[in-house]
Amino acid sequence: MKTEEETILEKERIKCEHCQKCPLGKTRTKLVFSAGVPNNKIMLIGEAPGYWEDQKGEPFVGKAGQLLDKILGCVGFSREKNIYICNTLKCRPPDNRNPLPEEKEACREYLDTQINTLKPRIILLCGAVAVQSFIKNAFGITKIRGQWFDGPHNSKMMPIFHPSYLLRNDSRKKGSPKWLMWQDIQEVRKLYDSLQ
Ligand code: URA
């Protein structure tokens, strides 16, 4: 039996399937609405679907997604068990270019419904595009990653590096992006464990 939240999100997904509010509705192969467990604990928001996501209709399934799953898995998070994953855009921008402001604006109602329905206590803003959607006048992600910000519905939001960035920076030395990500995800797990 579906929960009330699952029913609302399923209706929103169907609405989104028919969305033509921006030109990406015409060029997408598949809508990429969400993956994971719709719960009120933790949500990760990425940027936009890439090639593989567009093919499969699921967020973070390409190389970056596989790295993301590994990182989350290191502290016991997984899309099968306990985390809800979505993006600022639900359709792939051609050639994986950055989302345009008007695309983000057109797509925002779907993201807002996801947040307002689940009211997650923790929101991970994965990469600069997601950060800019929630934190105005944010300094670069390198400066603010790992910090907690107040988010919607009394949530705590943390900017984290995008896994594509980590793929381009392979070092694991102290202070490297991968090392910092490891610190950040452990902080996230601590807060998660403290939630009732
Ligand atoms: N990058 C993102 O930000 N989201 C995806 O779903 C895939 C790659």
Side-chain angles (χ1 to χ4, degrees):
M1 175 113 160
K2 279 201 168 85
T3 63
E4 195 186 331
E5 289 79 13
E6 285 169 338
T7 306
I8 295 170
L9 291 174
E10 180 57 13
K11 269 195 196 147
E12 194 72 356
R13 191 190 62 74
I14 291 165
K15 190 171 132 196
C16 203
E17 288 273 5
H18 300 284
C19 181
Q20 294 293 333
K21 288 202 314 182
C22 83
L24 301 183
K26 291 225 169 16
T27 55
R28 71 170 172 235
T29 309
K30 284 196 176 159
L31 173 75
V32 180
F33 189 74
S34 69
V37 185
N39 67 85
N40 67 353
K41 294 267 181 353
I42 181 161
M43 173 185 288
L44 180 139
I45 304 173
E47 180 180 325
Y51 174 82
W52 287 110
E53 290 76 24
D54 177 67
Q55 292 291 309
K56 293 198 177 167
E58 188 178 336
F60 284 105
V61 291
K63 257 195 160 175
Q66 288 161 23
L67 177 57
L68 179 68
D69 281 346
K70 248 190 186 168
I71 294 164
L72 295 173
C74 281
V75 290
F77 293 133
S78 75
R79 56 182 91 200
E80 290 77 28
K81 233 170 49 198
N82 48 16
I83 189 164
Y84 185 81
I85 299 177
C86 59
N87 282 308
T88 57
L89 291 195
K90 310 305 186 215
C91 299
R92 180 191 181 210
D95 303 320
N96 299 345
R97 62 157 169 72
N98 273 342
L100 301 174
E102 57 270 29
E103 292 163 354
K104 285 205 284 181
E105 199 183 317
C107 218
R108 182 67 190 231
E109 69 164 285
Y110 304 115
L111 180 58
D112 283 342
T113 300
Q114 289 171 311
I115 294 172
N116 295 336
T117 303
L118 295 176
K119 301 184 179 64
R121 308 281 299 276
I122 298 173
I123 299 177
L124 301 181
L125 302 172
C126 185
V129 171
V131 169
Q132 286 152 13
S133 297
F134 290 89
I135 302 173
K136 297 298 158 220
N137 309 316
F139 291 108
I141 187 149
T142 313
K143 282 228 172 77
I144 60 169
R145 53 126 282 279
Q147 296 179 29
W148 290 113
F149 292 80
D150 292 330
H153 306 288
N154 287 325
S155 61
K156 290 291 174 197
M157 299 187 299
M158 182 190 281
I160 57 170
F161 285 131
H162 195 282
S164 309
Y165 178 69
L166 300 178
L167 285 173
R168 299 193 297 271
N169 290 275
D170 206 39
S171 167
R172 287 164 191 271
K173 274 203 301 209
K174 191 171 176 183
S176 66
K178 273 194 173 155
W179 183 85
L180 291 169
M181 182 65 146
W182 175 234
Q183 313 306 307
D184 296 348
I185 203 68
Q186 290 181 91
E187 275 307 305
V188 172
R189 183 69 212 201
K190 264 192 226 159
L191 182 60
Y192 181 91
D193 285 338
S194 75
L195 299 175
Q196 313 299 334

